[in-house]
Amino acid sequence: MAHHEPAANGSVPTPAGQSVTVSIHRIVRPEHIPEVTSWVQSGVNLANRWDGFLGSGWIRAAEGSSHWHMLYRFADADRLAAWEQSAERREWLAQGTGLVEELRYQQRTGIEGWFDDPSRTDEPADVAAAVVPPRWKQATSIWLGFFPVNLLFTALFTYLVPGWDDVALVLKVLISTLILTPIMAYWVLPWVTRRLHGWLHRT
């Protein structure tokens, strides 16, 4: 299995405190799909116990395709590096030897990483760039997830928390963002972007 460390792939320095999404393009032989599925899940379970891990997912390029695209996100570059350089991850990668072939490793900063459409390495650069969703589609997707979640939060706290109307505005915003940000990052945004994938990446 080919494996590339981040420093060897031309990743640009990440601003401190900004989340980082990693995209990995791997080739999986059809006869190894059951073993690879189990191997990928064991890696997710391992990463879930790691400080700063914000979530992950994987998709195939098409039905029956041997091209798998895997994503995972960490809260910042330092904790991503700690995970990628850990003995636990090296041991997990070793277990995948002979099962997969790694073709491409790439980092994306901020929330944009969830929107990037995985592209094959044999595609021309202008074709790969053409499927990246425009900013207005990204903004629409975020709003579609955030509006109902924020509305539900506001309704529940207004009617169920005594004295909520009397709480200072700054404190209300602080509490709501502390609660809603991880909900959006872990569950809502990945769910929304999966369901809007066809629309997001329509050329």
Side-chain angles (χ1 to χ4, degrees):
M1 174 183 64
H3 169 62
H4 305 289
E5 291 301 328
N9 285 271
S11 299
V12 297
T14 303
Q18 189 171 15
S19 61
V20 185
T21 300
V22 174
S23 171
I24 303 178
H25 179 186
R26 289 187 169 109
I27 298 294
V28 179
R29 294 179 182 176
E31 64 270 22
H32 290 322
I33 287 178
E35 296 96 324
V36 172
T37 301
S38 176
W39 176 70
V40 168
Q41 188 57 52
S42 68
V44 172
N45 294 340
L46 180 64
N48 263 316
R49 302 196 298 269
W50 208 264
D51 183 41
F53 182 70
L54 298 182
S56 65
W58 58 271
I59 59 172
R60 298 183 201 177
E63 185 178 6
S65 174
S66 60
H67 293 261
W68 289 29
H69 302 278
M70 303 175 187
L71 295 172
Y72 57 90
R73 167 171 289 180
F74 272 77
D76 53 60
D78 289 341
R79 282 181 282 185
L80 168 64
W83 154 248
E84 293 192 326
Q85 296 167 14
S86 66
E88 291 91 339
R89 182 172 181 270
R90 286 197 298 270
E91 181 180 348
W92 171 74
L93 286 172
Q95 294 170 4
T97 301
L99 297 179
V100 298
E101 177 187 355
E102 185 174 312
L103 295 184
R104 177 171 170 260
Y105 174 105
Q106 194 164 17
Q107 292 186 7
R108 296 278 198 273
T109 57
I111 206 167
E112 277 186 277
W114 288 113
F115 295 102
D116 293 330
D117 192 40
S119 57
R120 289 172 51 178
T121 55
D122 56 355
E123 290 177 331
D126 56 339
V127 173
V131 296
V132 177
R135 290 297 179 95
W136 71 269
K137 284 190 175 184
Q138 297 181 29
T140 301
S141 301
I142 294 172
W143 180 84
L144 287 173
F146 189 74
F147 173 73
V149 171
N150 189 43
L151 180 63
L152 179 62
F153 173 89
T154 302
L156 288 176
F157 271 64
T158 299
Y159 294 109
L160 299 180
V161 178
W164 180 251
D165 288 337
D166 299 325
V167 176
L169 178 60
V170 172
L171 187 57
K172 282 184 179 179
V173 174
L174 175 64
I175 294 172
S176 65
T177 53
L178 285 174
I179 294 174
L180 298 183
T181 298
I183 291 175
M184 287 292 298
Y186 278 97
W187 299 291
V188 178
L189 187 57
W191 185 86
V192 169
T193 54
R194 283 197 300 269
R195 273 137 190 89
L196 295 180
H197 185 271
W199 173 73
L200 281 167
H201 300 288
R202 187 177 302 148
T203 57

